[in-house]
Amino acid sequence: MAKTVVLNGGVEGNEHVDNVLFSKVDEWSELVRLSRWIGGFLLEMSKTGAIDLALGVGGKIEKEEVLSAVEKYEKYHVCFGGEEQERKSNYSDMVNKYYDLVTCFYEFGWGESFHFAHRLKGESHRESIKRHEHFLALQLGLKPGQKVLDVGCGIGGPLREISRFSMTSVTGLNNNEYQISRGKELNRIAGVDKTCDFVKADFMNMPFPDNSFDAVYAIEATCHAPDAYGCYKEIYRVLKPGQCFAAYEWCMTSSFDPDNQEHQKIKAEIELGDGLPDIRLTTKCLEALKQAGFEVIWEKDLATDSPLPWYLTLDKSHFSLSSFRLTAVGRLFTRNMVKALEYIGLAPKGSVRVQDFLEKAAEGLVEGGRKEIFTPMYFFLARKPDSENH
Ligand SMILES: C[S@@+](CC[C@H](N)C(=O)[O-])C[C@H]1O[C@@H](n2cnc3c(N)ncnc32)[C@H](O)[C@@H]1O
C-alpha cells in the first residue's frame, strides 16, 4: 500500500529518516482515504433505506400476496409468454402492480425523482436530474402563480422541484395509491403541501374540467398509456387554449429494427422491467400529438446530444460513489441485501424477483442506449392553439 517516496535529495545522513517519515505520512493518508471511502460506503448503505426498502416492497399489496402479484405481473410480458394486447387491455392492473412492487426500490436507488437525465461532464447524477426538470420549466415558460399539471407524477420529486423553482402550484396526477401516499408525506416534509396536491386518477380519463391548467408536463410517464393519442387528447382537453404541454417520452428510435431479434429482445426487457405495454416509435408519438390537435413547437431526442450517455450510471463499466446504489456493484449489493431480508422474513416473498426484473430492465436500457435504438428523453414542446378548430 505504501508507495516508495523519494523526496529529499539533500543531506545524505537525513535521507533515510526523511524517506521513512514521508513513507509513513503517505501510508497514513492512504489509510485515511480508504477509511473515508469505507465510511461513505457504509453510511450510504445504512441510511435506514434498507429497512424502508424491505417494508415497502409491494406497496398497497398485502405482504403475503406479493409473490403472486409478481407472478401475475411477469406473465403480462413477452419474456414470460405475454401478449401486447393483454398488456394494453389490462394496462391499469399491470402498471399498478408494477409500481406497487417497485416504488420502494426506485426510492432506494433513485431518490424522489424517477427519471433519467441529459448528462453533462462534471455534473453529479442528482444535479443532472434537477437540471432536466428545470429545463422543462424553462421550456414551458412557467410564471409564478400558474396552475400546472404533472401527468404520471410518481412520488412527486419533479413536482416539488418544479413548483419551488418556478413558484407555481403543481397538481400531480397518478393512478397509484401507494405513490400518492408517499408523495403526500414528502410534500408535507418539504413544506409544499399548501401549494401542491395529488389526484388519484387515470391519465386516459382525467377528472378535471376542460381548459383547467396553464401548463402540463409529463416525465417518462405517458409511455405507460395503452394509446398515445387517447392520452395526449386528454391532456389537450384539460390544457387552456394557447398554453403548452412538454414531455420526455420513452421511445424506440428510427434505428430500431422490428425484424431484428436482438432489438426485439431489448425492447421486451425494457417493457418487462418498466411496466410498459408497448414502447412506441418517436414518429408515432409525434403523429399522435398532431392528431390530438397540438401545434408542435419543437421536438428532439435529447439523448443524441447528451455529452455523457444518459444510461452511464447503470452501465456495468461505470462506478460512482455518489450514485452507488444505481451502479452494477450497488445493484448486486442491494440484491444480496434483499435476499437476506427476504430470508429472515423482513421483506415479503417475491422481493428478490422484483429486483431481478429490475435488473433485466437495467440491462435492456443500457443495451438500448448503447445501440441508440431506445431513448428515455424524446422531448417535445407542443401548444394548444388559441382557437379550437379541432
Ligand atoms: C417512471 S414513473 C415517472 C414518475 C415521475 N414523472 C418522475 O419522473 O418521478 C411513471 C409514473 O406514471 C404513472 N402512471 C402510469 N400509468 C398511469 C395512468 N394510466 N394514469 C396515471 N398515472 C400513471 C405511474 O404510476 C408512475 O408514477
Side-chain angles (χ1 to χ4, degrees):
M1 189 161 58
K3 286 182 221 138
T4 318
V5 186
V6 183
L7 281 170
N8 191 352
V11 194
E12 229 178 62
N14 291 339
E15 195 170 277
H16 174 69
V17 177
D18 281 356
N19 282 349
V20 169
L21 189 68
F22 281 106
S23 165
K24 286 278 177 235
V25 168
D26 197 49
E27 204 170 293
W28 176 246
S29 59
E30 288 257 7
L31 215 72
V32 169
R33 245 201 320 273
L34 183 72
S35 53
R36 266 208 208 119
W37 194 92
I38 294 173
F41 172 83
L42 290 176
L43 186 73
E44 185 60 26
M45 293 316 296
S46 65
K47 277 189 223 147
T48 65
I51 304 297
D52 288 343
L53 169 64
L55 298 178
V57 183
K60 294 281 177 198
I61 300 171
E62 293 294 332
K63 298 301 165 203
E64 50 290 352
E65 302 290 322
V66 167
L67 182 59
S68 96
V70 173
E71 281 164 357
K72 283 185 194 140
Y73 171 74
E74 286 174 342
K75 282 200 181 114
Y76 277 122
H77 290 278
V78 174
C79 308
F80 291 84
E83 309 248 326
E84 181 184 322
Q85 202 41 53
E86 273 292 291
R87 291 196 294 284
K88 285 190 172 166
S89 4
N90 298 295
Y91 70 93
S92 247
D93 179 63
M94 179 189 68
V95 175
N96 254 312
K97 276 203 174 65
Y98 175 76
Y99 281 107
D100 270 331
L101 294 169
V102 305
T103 297
C104 56
F105 284 92
Y106 272 39
E107 224 183 313
F108 184 75
W110 291 86
E112 296 179 24
S113 291
F114 298 167
H115 61 83
F116 287 98
H118 177 270
R119 303 289 315 265
L120 296 181
K121 288 181 185 155
E123 209 178 37
S124 71
H125 184 253
R126 188 178 281 267
E127 284 165 347
S128 307
I129 293 275
K130 290 203 177 204
R131 184 175 48 77
H132 208 55
E133 291 165 1
H134 297 168
F135 181 77
L136 269 192
L138 182 74
Q139 290 303 312
L140 286 167
L142 298 184
K143 308 270 183 309
Q146 283 189 326
K147 234 176 125 221
V148 181
L149 179 66
D150 179 331
V151 176
C153 63
I155 58 169
L159 169 157
R160 285 180 285 282
E161 186 61 32
I162 289 179
S163 155
R164 288 187 291 201
F165 179 71
S166 59
M167 298 184 192
T168 50
S169 298
V170 186
T171 297
L173 181 81
N174 194 340
N175 64 348
N176 186 273
E177 206 180 317
Y178 177 68
Q179 290 196 336
I180 290 193
S181 62
R182 284 293 300 137
K184 281 187 175 160
E185 173 65 4
L186 293 167
N187 272 13
R188 197 185 53 71
I189 294 168
V192 299
D193 49 333
K194 302 281 182 296
T195 44
C196 298
D197 59 353
F198 292 94
V199 171
K200 185 187 175 305
D202 186 349
F203 54 43
M204 303 304 286
N205 184 18
M206 302 187 197
F208 307 116
D210 296 358
N211 311 326
S212 299
F213 294 97
D214 299 306
V216 180
Y217 67 85
I219 306 181
E220 302 184 16
T222 41
C223 48
H224 289 290
D227 140 50
Y229 166 75
C231 180
Y232 295 163
K233 190 76 193 147
E234 263 303 83
I235 291 171
Y236 183 94
R237 182 183 69 73
V238 301
L239 186 60
K240 290 181 187 170
Q243 302 300 110
C244 287
F245 166 42
Y248 295 121
E249 274 290 4
W250 278 35
C251 288
M252 302 314 291
T253 69
S254 54
S255 305
F256 172 71
D257 172 6
D259 297 323
N260 179 320
Q261 289 210 330
E262 202 192 346
H263 288 191
Q264 281 292 1
K265 179 175 168 279
I266 292 170
K267 179 172 176 281
E269 280 175 353
I270 302 176
E271 286 167 353
L272 165 72
D274 295 281
L276 301 171
D278 175 39
I279 312 172
R280 289 174 274 272
L281 285 168
T282 50
T283 47
K284 292 285 171 210
C285 289
L286 191 57
E287 253 171 49
L289 260 183
K290 291 179 182 163
Q291 202 192 348
F294 283 106
E295 290 169 3
V296 178
I297 299 172
W298 73 284
E299 44 82 36
K300 183 174 182 172
D301 174 6
L302 299 184
T304 58
D305 65 3
S306 181
L308 293 176
W310 56 265
Y311 53 85
L312 185 70
T313 323
L314 297 178
D315 196 337
K316 282 203 168 90
S317 63
H318 177 78
F319 183 78
S320 149
L321 199 55
S322 62
S323 45
F324 174 73
R325 291 176 183 180
L326 289 178
T327 62
V329 191
R331 297 193 314 262
L332 185 66
F333 189 95
T334 305
R335 189 179 188 280
N336 286 326
M337 182 185 78
V338 171
K339 202 170 166 185
L341 292 169
E342 185 177 322
Y343 183 75
I344 59 168
L346 204 56
K349 286 208 169 14
S351 301
V352 179
R353 274 190 41 192
V354 176
Q355 170 77 12
D356 286 346
F357 67 65
L358 286 174
E359 190 53 35
K360 272 261 164 291
E363 284 163 19
L365 287 164
V366 171
E367 272 316 291
R370 252 200 214 119
K371 292 191 177 341
E372 299 181 358
I373 59 171
F374 168 81
T375 177
M377 53 191 74
Y378 175 54
F379 170 82
F380 54 74
L381 177 66
R383 184 174 169 274
K384 175 171 173 173
D386 284 316
S387 61
E388 283 192 60
N389 43 16
H390 201 79

